[in-house]
Amino acid sequence: MANETFDVVIVGGGMGGLNLAALLTKEGKRVLVLEKSGRDRLGGRAASGKIGNAAIDNGIKGLILAGTQDEIYRRIGKTMPENVCRWTNSGQVHMNGEWRKLDDIVRGSLAEFFKVYVDTAKVWSYEEIEKLDDVSVARFVTERTDDQGVIDFFRYLGWLFGGTLSIPHDYSAGMLFYSVKKQIETLGTFPSQSYWVKGGSGAIAGPLIEAIEERGGEIRTNTSVSHVVIENGRVRGVEIEEGERRVPTERFDTRMIEAPVVVSAVAIWDIFNILSEDDLSPWYADRLRHLHRKTLNDATLTYGHDDPELWDHSGPRWVQEGPVTGRPWCASSLEFSDDSNQYETTFWIQTGWWEKPSLFQMREASHKIALNKLFDDWEKDIQQLFPGVVEKAHWRHRSFGPATLIETPGNVGRNPIDIRAEGVEGLYLIGERTSAAKIMGVYGSAQVALEACRLIMDRS
Ligand SMILES: Cc1cc2nc3c(=O)[nH]c(=O)nc-3n(C[C@H](O)[C@H](O)[C@H](O)COP(=O)(O)OP(=O)(O)OC[C@H]3O[C@@H](n4cnc5c(N)ncnc54)[C@H](O)[C@@H]3O)c2cc1C
């Protein structure tokens, strides 16, 4: 069979790959997206499934608003799926053994601190902000205040992303203020609320899939790319796996699909499954190797119930130190506006490469044991601090996965990974923590897709 040919082949049908495919088909490119999972898993880490009538998200609960994903929908003539969340940024914090109102904590010195730096971020240019890429938030804060309340707040609480995630204290200050500036610029306020999508997070992929297919783009699911084909420093296409293994050790047959531009939209830690380090320039490969294990993981524990009394719905909760886990975690509960009898209460814990080896490598048996212990201990924390939520739940859902890459100094500073793969003409890497992704999560994927589209269109 003759090889097929496309203008652009994109490996990976997560939000990064779909965003870019939608933008490029709009520009008239012949695009093929190859995704190793089934069609119901398009959206990748942002996909969702079902428990009864409830949409269960793979990971994401709330999109971190920054305006960029909205810009992509606008460009391709689609609209953002409906927000179903009734949720506010106020809430309560469990600190030193007692509950306190977030609003009370935020008053006084903390409010003053926020005001000064949020106002400052408005007038700083992006170039000025970039100078803080190599400065951790912890250093930024402690160099400017000795108020313990302010320092604790930054160490344990997530004010940055609409209040859903606790920030590790070594997050890059440059990325923090980039996000602040971007949100103020595009949305008018900070902190913006997160966005809970009707039908689950997976619904955000729907308009992109529609846009790609309406304009003649092709999405092939259940198709795994075996490797990117590179000859003499130039991309030639990809090889895909074909056929079924009859015995586990059998090698797949492969088939070539040709394209002058190939985009890897797999997560950075999966890149060396499809690319050989030898094809890239040595420093670029080295930097990728360094980065690809630096994940920030999210553990979530979600309970479905129908009792409004189980939760005070005025806002999320932060726990500075769980009584059994000894860890910080946070929680929020949603009353879905499309079904007011359904509540979903979700708890988050972040773990990262800095605590290896305990929870970091999921594939190893000892770490699975550690992970299960974390979930069991965490449930005991919840039973102590939120009586009834565990006992009265109709269903429970545990999830764990790499949410993003993170390290201090933020890699966007000294050694940015460019979207254009150094050493290979026509190869682009998109995904978190390339130089264009300064915002975490789905909005980071959107930023990178916009920049990659610009670079690819500039070639022609
Ligand atoms: C538990 C958890 C919680 C999170 N919470 C939030 C949140 O609240 N808000 C937020 O904005 N973000 C959140 N995120 C992060 C967000 O999910 C990701 O940043 C975003 O979805 C990444 O998109 P991506 O397209 O870059 O990567 P992915 O979604 O990982 O897409 C990569 C795709 O490539 C495919 N693939 C891999 N190898 C191959 C191959 N060889 N051939 C073909 N296909 C291949 C994979 O199957 C996958 O579909 C969370 C993530 C997790 C795991």
Side-chain angles (χ1 to χ4, degrees), residues 11-17 34-37 41 43-46 58-64 223-225 265-267 270 274 298 399 401-403 431-432 440-443 445:
V11 188
M15 285 304 287
L34 298 167
E35 166 56 48
K36 71 174 179 188
S37 312
R41 286 282 169 271
R45 274 173 285 157
N58 183 30
I60 295 182
K61 293 291 164 189
L63 295 181
I64 298 150
T223 308
S224 192
V225 169
V266 307
D270 282 336
I274 57 167
D298 255 6
S399 125
E432 52 258 280
M440 285 210 254
V442 165
Y443 277 81
S445 311

Short mmCIF file of all heavy atoms in Angstrom, two decimals, residues 11-17 34-37 41 43-46 58-64 223-225 265-267 270 274 298 399 401-403 431-432 440-443 445, ligand 1:
data_model
loop_
_atom_site.label_atom_id
_atom_site.label_comp_id
_atom_site.label_asym_id
_atom_site.label_seq_id
_atom_site.Cartn_x
_atom_site.Cartn_y
_atom_site.Cartn_z
N VAL A 11 0.81 13.70 17.03
CA VAL A 11 0.78 12.46 17.82
C VAL A 11 0.20 12.80 19.19
O VAL A 11 0.82 13.52 19.98
CB VAL A 11 2.20 11.87 18.01
CG1 VAL A 11 2.11 10.51 18.67
CG2 VAL A 11 2.94 11.83 16.68
N GLY A 12 -1.01 12.29 19.48
CA GLY A 12 -1.63 12.54 20.78
C GLY A 12 -2.89 13.38 20.64
O GLY A 12 -2.84 14.49 20.10
N GLY A 13 -4.01 12.83 21.11
CA GLY A 13 -5.30 13.54 21.02
C GLY A 13 -5.74 14.07 22.37
O GLY A 13 -6.92 14.02 22.72
N GLY A 14 -4.79 14.59 23.17
CA GLY A 14 -5.15 15.32 24.39
C GLY A 14 -5.53 16.74 24.02
O GLY A 14 -5.67 17.08 22.83
N MET A 15 -5.70 17.61 25.00
CA MET A 15 -6.13 18.99 24.72
C MET A 15 -5.10 19.74 23.88
O MET A 15 -5.46 20.54 23.03
CB MET A 15 -6.40 19.74 26.04
CG MET A 15 -7.70 19.33 26.69
SD MET A 15 -9.12 19.52 25.61
CE MET A 15 -9.31 21.31 25.57
N GLY A 16 -3.80 19.46 24.10
CA GLY A 16 -2.77 20.14 23.32
C GLY A 16 -2.90 19.78 21.85
O GLY A 16 -2.97 20.65 20.97
N GLY A 17 -2.97 18.48 21.54
CA GLY A 17 -3.05 18.00 20.16
C GLY A 17 -4.33 18.45 19.48
O GLY A 17 -4.31 18.90 18.32
N LEU A 34 -3.28 11.35 15.61
CA LEU A 34 -3.20 9.93 15.95
C LEU A 34 -3.25 9.76 17.46
O LEU A 34 -2.41 10.33 18.18
CB LEU A 34 -1.90 9.33 15.39
CG LEU A 34 -1.77 9.39 13.87
CD1 LEU A 34 -0.35 9.07 13.44
CD2 LEU A 34 -2.78 8.43 13.21
N GLU A 35 -4.23 9.02 17.94
CA GLU A 35 -4.40 8.85 19.40
C GLU A 35 -4.43 7.37 19.72
O GLU A 35 -5.18 6.61 19.11
CB GLU A 35 -5.70 9.55 19.85
CG GLU A 35 -6.18 9.20 21.24
CD GLU A 35 -5.15 9.44 22.35
OE1 GLU A 35 -4.54 10.52 22.39
OE2 GLU A 35 -4.95 8.50 23.16
N LYS A 36 -3.63 6.96 20.70
CA LYS A 36 -3.54 5.52 20.97
C LYS A 36 -4.76 4.98 21.70
O LYS A 36 -5.06 3.79 21.61
CB LYS A 36 -2.25 5.21 21.75
CG LYS A 36 -2.22 5.67 23.17
CD LYS A 36 -0.97 5.17 23.88
CE LYS A 36 -0.94 5.67 25.30
NZ LYS A 36 0.28 5.40 26.00
N SER A 37 -5.51 5.83 22.42
CA SER A 37 -6.71 5.35 23.13
C SER A 37 -7.93 5.42 22.22
O SER A 37 -7.85 5.90 21.10
CB SER A 37 -6.98 6.20 24.37
OG SER A 37 -5.82 6.37 25.10
N ARG A 41 -11.82 8.54 24.80
CA ARG A 41 -10.71 9.04 25.62
C ARG A 41 -10.03 10.24 24.97
O ARG A 41 -8.97 10.69 25.42
CB ARG A 41 -9.67 7.94 25.88
CG ARG A 41 -10.12 6.92 26.87
CD ARG A 41 -9.99 7.46 28.30
NE ARG A 41 -10.65 6.62 29.29
CZ ARG A 41 -11.93 6.74 29.65
NH1 ARG A 41 -12.70 7.67 29.13
NH2 ARG A 41 -12.45 5.95 30.56
N GLY A 43 -9.12 13.89 24.40
CA GLY A 43 -9.04 14.87 25.50
C GLY A 43 -7.94 14.45 26.47
O GLY A 43 -7.51 15.24 27.30
N GLY A 44 -7.48 13.19 26.38
CA GLY A 44 -6.35 12.72 27.18
C GLY A 44 -6.59 12.84 28.66
O GLY A 44 -7.59 12.34 29.18
N ARG A 45 -5.71 13.54 29.33
CA ARG A 45 -5.86 13.70 30.78
C ARG A 45 -7.09 14.52 31.12
O ARG A 45 -7.51 14.57 32.28
CB ARG A 45 -4.60 14.33 31.37
CG ARG A 45 -3.54 13.31 31.70
CD ARG A 45 -2.27 13.98 32.12
NE ARG A 45 -1.54 14.53 31.00
CZ ARG A 45 -0.65 15.51 31.09
NH1 ARG A 45 -0.38 16.04 32.25
NH2 ARG A 45 -0.02 15.93 30.01
N ALA A 46 -7.66 15.22 30.16
CA ALA A 46 -8.87 15.99 30.43
C ALA A 46 -10.14 15.20 30.11
O ALA A 46 -11.24 15.73 30.23
CB ALA A 46 -8.85 17.29 29.64
N ASN A 58 -11.20 12.41 34.72
CA ASN A 58 -9.93 11.69 34.82
C ASN A 58 -9.03 12.37 35.86
O ASN A 58 -8.36 11.73 36.65
CB ASN A 58 -9.27 11.71 33.45
CG ASN A 58 -7.98 10.94 33.43
OD1 ASN A 58 -7.81 10.00 34.17
ND2 ASN A 58 -7.08 11.37 32.60
N GLY A 59 -9.06 13.66 35.86
CA GLY A 59 -8.23 14.38 36.82
C GLY A 59 -8.81 15.76 37.06
O GLY A 59 -9.30 16.08 38.14
N ILE A 60 -8.88 16.51 36.00
CA ILE A 60 -9.31 17.89 36.09
C ILE A 60 -10.68 18.01 36.72
O ILE A 60 -11.58 17.30 36.35
CB ILE A 60 -9.45 18.48 34.68
CG1 ILE A 60 -8.11 18.53 34.03
CG2 ILE A 60 -10.08 19.83 34.70
CD1 ILE A 60 -8.18 19.13 32.68
N LYS A 61 -10.81 18.97 37.60
CA LYS A 61 -12.13 19.28 38.13
C LYS A 61 -12.53 20.66 37.61
O LYS A 61 -13.62 20.86 37.13
CB LYS A 61 -12.11 19.30 39.65
CG LYS A 61 -11.87 17.95 40.24
CD LYS A 61 -13.07 17.05 39.99
CE LYS A 61 -12.67 15.61 40.22
NZ LYS A 61 -13.69 14.67 39.80
N GLY A 62 -11.62 21.60 37.76
CA GLY A 62 -11.95 22.95 37.31
C GLY A 62 -10.88 23.46 36.39
O GLY A 62 -9.69 23.29 36.66
N LEU A 63 -11.29 24.05 35.30
CA LEU A 63 -10.29 24.65 34.42
C LEU A 63 -9.79 25.92 35.06
O LEU A 63 -10.56 26.72 35.58
CB LEU A 63 -10.93 25.00 33.08
CG LEU A 63 -11.41 23.82 32.27
CD1 LEU A 63 -11.98 24.30 30.96
CD2 LEU A 63 -10.28 22.88 32.03
N ILE A 64 -8.47 26.08 35.00
CA ILE A 64 -7.87 27.26 35.56
C ILE A 64 -8.03 28.36 34.52
O ILE A 64 -7.45 28.28 33.44
CB ILE A 64 -6.38 26.98 35.81
CG1 ILE A 64 -6.26 25.84 36.83
CG2 ILE A 64 -5.65 28.22 36.23
CD1 ILE A 64 -5.02 25.02 36.63
N THR A 223 -4.89 4.14 17.66
CA THR A 223 -3.73 4.10 16.76
C THR A 223 -2.50 4.62 17.50
O THR A 223 -2.41 5.80 17.82
CB THR A 223 -3.98 4.99 15.51
OG1 THR A 223 -5.24 4.62 14.94
CG2 THR A 223 -2.89 4.81 14.48
N SER A 224 -1.60 3.70 17.77
CA SER A 224 -0.42 4.08 18.54
C SER A 224 0.75 4.36 17.61
O SER A 224 1.05 3.57 16.71
CB SER A 224 -0.07 2.92 19.48
OG SER A 224 0.87 3.35 20.41
N VAL A 225 1.41 5.50 17.84
CA VAL A 225 2.60 5.81 17.04
C VAL A 225 3.78 5.09 17.67
O VAL A 225 4.03 5.18 18.87
CB VAL A 225 2.84 7.34 17.01
CG1 VAL A 225 4.21 7.67 16.42
CG2 VAL A 225 1.74 8.01 16.20
N ALA A 265 2.45 15.65 20.60
CA ALA A 265 1.57 16.23 21.62
C ALA A 265 1.36 15.23 22.75
O ALA A 265 0.36 15.28 23.46
CB ALA A 265 0.25 16.65 20.99
N VAL A 266 2.31 14.29 22.90
CA VAL A 266 2.25 13.38 24.05
C VAL A 266 2.87 14.13 25.23
O VAL A 266 3.61 15.09 25.05
CB VAL A 266 3.00 12.05 23.80
CG1 VAL A 266 2.50 11.39 22.52
CG2 VAL A 266 4.51 12.23 23.73
N ALA A 267 2.55 13.68 26.43
CA ALA A 267 3.14 14.33 27.60
C ALA A 267 4.66 14.20 27.55
O ALA A 267 5.18 13.20 27.01
CB ALA A 267 2.59 13.69 28.87
N ASP A 270 6.44 11.00 28.14
CA ASP A 270 6.27 9.88 27.19
C ASP A 270 7.07 10.09 25.90
O ASP A 270 7.02 9.26 24.99
CB ASP A 270 4.78 9.74 26.80
CG ASP A 270 3.98 9.05 27.89
OD1 ASP A 270 4.59 8.31 28.69
OD2 ASP A 270 2.76 9.26 27.96
N ILE A 274 8.58 7.67 21.64
CA ILE A 274 8.38 7.84 20.20
C ILE A 274 9.57 8.54 19.51
O ILE A 274 9.60 8.65 18.30
CB ILE A 274 7.07 8.62 19.88
CG1 ILE A 274 7.04 10.00 20.57
CG2 ILE A 274 5.85 7.82 20.23
CD1 ILE A 274 5.93 10.90 20.04
N ASP A 298 -1.36 14.79 41.01
CA ASP A 298 -2.57 15.11 41.76
C ASP A 298 -3.25 13.82 42.18
O ASP A 298 -3.50 12.95 41.35
CB ASP A 298 -3.56 15.86 40.85
CG ASP A 298 -3.59 17.33 41.18
OD1 ASP A 298 -2.78 17.76 42.01
OD2 ASP A 298 -4.43 18.03 40.61
N SER A 399 -8.42 8.86 42.29
CA SER A 399 -7.63 9.01 41.06
C SER A 399 -6.26 9.61 41.38
O SER A 399 -6.10 10.35 42.35
CB SER A 399 -8.44 9.87 40.07
OG SER A 399 -7.73 10.98 39.63
N GLY A 401 -2.56 10.90 39.16
CA GLY A 401 -1.84 10.99 37.89
C GLY A 401 -0.97 12.22 37.81
O GLY A 401 -1.12 13.15 38.61
N PRO A 402 -0.04 12.24 36.84
CA PRO A 402 0.82 13.41 36.68
C PRO A 402 0.03 14.58 36.09
O PRO A 402 -0.51 14.47 35.00
CB PRO A 402 1.92 12.94 35.73
CG PRO A 402 1.40 11.70 35.10
CD PRO A 402 0.25 11.18 35.88
N ALA A 403 -0.06 15.66 36.84
CA ALA A 403 -0.86 16.80 36.40
C ALA A 403 -0.03 17.73 35.52
O ALA A 403 -0.53 18.32 34.59
CB ALA A 403 -1.38 17.56 37.61
N GLY A 431 3.25 20.68 24.77
CA GLY A 431 2.99 20.06 26.06
C GLY A 431 3.47 20.97 27.15
O GLY A 431 4.09 22.01 26.89
N GLU A 432 3.18 20.58 28.38
CA GLU A 432 3.48 21.47 29.49
C GLU A 432 4.97 21.78 29.58
O GLU A 432 5.82 20.98 29.27
CB GLU A 432 2.98 20.89 30.82
CG GLU A 432 3.41 19.49 31.14
CD GLU A 432 2.28 18.52 30.86
OE1 GLU A 432 1.37 18.40 31.68
OE2 GLU A 432 2.37 17.88 29.82
N MET A 440 -0.23 26.53 34.17
CA MET A 440 -0.39 25.08 34.31
C MET A 440 -1.70 24.62 33.68
O MET A 440 -2.59 25.41 33.42
CB MET A 440 -0.43 24.73 35.79
CG MET A 440 0.91 24.80 36.44
SD MET A 440 0.98 23.62 37.77
CE MET A 440 0.87 24.70 39.16
N GLY A 441 -1.82 23.33 33.46
CA GLY A 441 -3.09 22.72 33.10
C GLY A 441 -3.50 22.97 31.67
O GLY A 441 -2.68 23.28 30.79
N VAL A 442 -4.80 22.85 31.45
CA VAL A 442 -5.35 22.93 30.11
C VAL A 442 -5.03 24.27 29.45
O VAL A 442 -4.77 24.33 28.25
CB VAL A 442 -6.88 22.70 30.18
CG1 VAL A 442 -7.56 23.14 28.91
CG2 VAL A 442 -7.17 21.25 30.48
N TYR A 443 -5.02 25.35 30.22
CA TYR A 443 -4.73 26.65 29.62
C TYR A 443 -3.29 26.74 29.14
O TYR A 443 -3.00 27.44 28.18
CB TYR A 443 -5.11 27.79 30.57
CG TYR A 443 -6.58 28.08 30.45
CD1 TYR A 443 -7.51 27.30 31.12
CD2 TYR A 443 -7.04 29.06 29.59
CE1 TYR A 443 -8.86 27.52 30.97
CE2 TYR A 443 -8.39 29.28 29.43
CZ TYR A 443 -9.30 28.51 30.11
OH TYR A 443 -10.63 28.72 29.94
N SER A 445 -1.75 24.10 27.84
CA SER A 445 -1.81 23.38 26.56
C SER A 445 -2.30 24.32 25.46
O SER A 445 -1.83 24.27 24.32
CB SER A 445 -2.78 22.20 26.61
OG SER A 445 -2.56 21.40 27.72
C1 LIG B 1 -5.18 14.15 38.35
C2 LIG B 1 -5.06 15.38 37.48
C3 LIG B 1 -5.68 16.58 37.84
C4 LIG B 1 -5.58 17.70 37.03
N1 LIG B 1 -6.27 18.84 37.38
C5 LIG B 1 -6.31 19.90 36.52
C6 LIG B 1 -7.17 21.01 36.77
O1 LIG B 1 -7.93 21.04 37.75
N2 LIG B 1 -7.16 22.05 35.88
C7 LIG B 1 -6.38 22.04 34.74
O2 LIG B 1 -6.43 22.98 33.94
N3 LIG B 1 -5.56 20.99 34.48
C8 LIG B 1 -5.51 19.92 35.34
N4 LIG B 1 -4.72 18.82 35.07
C9 LIG B 1 -3.74 18.92 33.97
C10 LIG B 1 -4.37 18.72 32.60
O3 LIG B 1 -5.09 17.52 32.59
C11 LIG B 1 -3.22 18.64 31.59
O4 LIG B 1 -2.38 19.77 31.71
C12 LIG B 1 -3.72 18.63 30.15
O5 LIG B 1 -4.89 17.86 30.00
C13 LIG B 1 -2.56 18.12 29.31
O6 LIG B 1 -2.96 17.99 27.96
P1 LIG B 1 -1.94 17.44 26.88
O7 LIG B 1 -2.67 17.36 25.59
O8 LIG B 1 -0.68 18.24 26.90
O9 LIG B 1 -1.50 15.97 27.38
P2 LIG B 1 -2.38 14.61 27.51
O10 LIG B 1 -3.77 14.92 27.92
O11 LIG B 1 -1.58 13.69 28.38
O12 LIG B 1 -2.45 14.05 26.01
C14 LIG B 1 -1.47 13.23 25.45
C15 LIG B 1 -2.18 12.19 24.59
O13 LIG B 1 -1.19 11.48 23.86
C16 LIG B 1 -1.63 10.13 23.74
N5 LIG B 1 -0.46 9.31 23.42
C17 LIG B 1 0.62 9.04 24.22
N6 LIG B 1 1.51 8.26 23.56
C18 LIG B 1 0.98 8.06 22.31
C19 LIG B 1 1.43 7.33 21.16
N7 LIG B 1 2.60 6.67 21.16
N8 LIG B 1 0.65 7.32 20.06
C20 LIG B 1 -0.54 7.99 20.03
N9 LIG B 1 -1.02 8.68 21.11
C21 LIG B 1 -0.27 8.71 22.22
C22 LIG B 1 -2.22 9.85 25.12
O14 LIG B 1 -3.08 8.71 25.09
C23 LIG B 1 -2.96 11.16 25.40
O15 LIG B 1 -4.31 11.13 24.96
C24 LIG B 1 -4.81 17.66 35.84
C25 LIG B 1 -4.20 16.46 35.48
C26 LIG B 1 -4.31 15.33 36.27
C27 LIG B 1 -3.67 14.02 35.84
#
